[in-house]
Amino acid sequence: MKPMDRERRLEGGSIYLRPITAQDTELVLSWRNSRRVVENFIYREHISRQEHMSWLENKVFAGKVHQFVICGASDDTPFGSVYLQNFDEANNKAEWGLFLGGEAPQGKGVGTQTGFLILDYAFGELGLHKLCSRVLARNKPCIRMNEKLGYRQEAYLKEELLIDGKYEDLICYGTLKGEIRR
């Protein structure tokens, strides 16, 4: 996948998405390493500043990941991040995910608005055919968000992951271009 346009801004509803920059590092690390985010992530290791900078250089700026910062449209306050990763160009698909920081408005549809913007970007601008999402089965808000966006459960994997000494179920979601529901 080619690198994303670093000037591209996706706008909609009460939010907009702007490309992540190195200047976002401390803020993104505070969100990503927070207990609330880590407990719902598959990859749960603490991310250092050096690891994040390597991620930006080797993944985002190289075009292997398209990552945005989620901002409030009324005041430009950043409160989360959304990304496309694991691009499979042979099969024209990718995986998406997001995380919101502690200052993000809860229960206000920010995740759903973000999801629709990323769907439009992935299918419209990148020309992808399919987007996937992997969700821990206990993460009910993320499950509801994926279903609101029109994703369908494609697999339910029992005790798929060993996390903090306990086996966790994993749900795989997918949606195809043209299946978006609003």
Side-chain angles (χ1 to χ4, degrees), residues 5-35:
D5 176 355
R6 292 194 195 181
E7 301 300 315
R8 183 65 174 105
R9 188 167 139 156
L10 310 175
E11 299 188 36
S14 63
I15 63 163
Y16 67 88
L17 310 179
R18 63 167 174 76
I20 193 170
T21 68
Q23 289 75 28
D24 296 312
T25 297
E26 296 309 318
L27 189 56
V28 169
L29 285 174
S30 73
W31 299 330
R32 172 54 186 83
N33 289 327
S34 72
R35 188 178 65 78

Side-chain angles (χ1 to χ4, degrees), residues 64-81:
K64 295 177 182 172
V65 172
H66 286 207
Q67 187 168 4
F68 296 88
V69 172
I70 306 163
C71 298
S74 63
D75 60 5
D76 297 323
T77 300
F79 47 74
S81 184

Side-chain angles (χ1 to χ4, degrees), residues 39-135:
E39 70 186 11
N40 289 305
F41 257 49
I42 294 168
Y43 182 75
R44 303 167 69 79
E45 299 302 317
H46 179 85
I47 307 296
S48 70
R49 186 179 207 309
Q50 181 180 358
E51 289 167 322
H52 180 72
M53 295 306 288
S54 177
W55 167 269
L56 287 177
E57 193 64 37
N58 298 312
K59 299 287 186 174
V60 176
F61 301 153
K64 295 177 182 172
V65 172
H66 286 207
Q67 187 168 4
F68 296 88
V69 172
I70 306 163
C71 298
S74 63
D75 60 5
D76 297 323
T77 300
F79 47 74
S81 184
V82 60
Y83 52 88
L84 295 170
Q85 66 177 0
N86 299 328
F87 286 102
D88 177 346
E89 293 187 57
N91 294 297
N92 208 19
K93 64 181 183 175
E95 179 181 355
W96 88 291
L98 71 88
F99 54 92
L100 298 174
E103 301 302 314
Q106 300 297 311
K108 303 291 184 194
V110 168
T112 304
Q113 288 179 56
T114 300
F116 280 126
L117 287 174
I118 225 55
L119 282 165
D120 290 344
Y121 175 73
F123 293 143
E125 293 186 38
L126 300 181
L128 295 178
H129 173 70
K130 182 176 185 176
L131 276 185
C132 303
S133 176
R134 296 177 296 150
V135 180

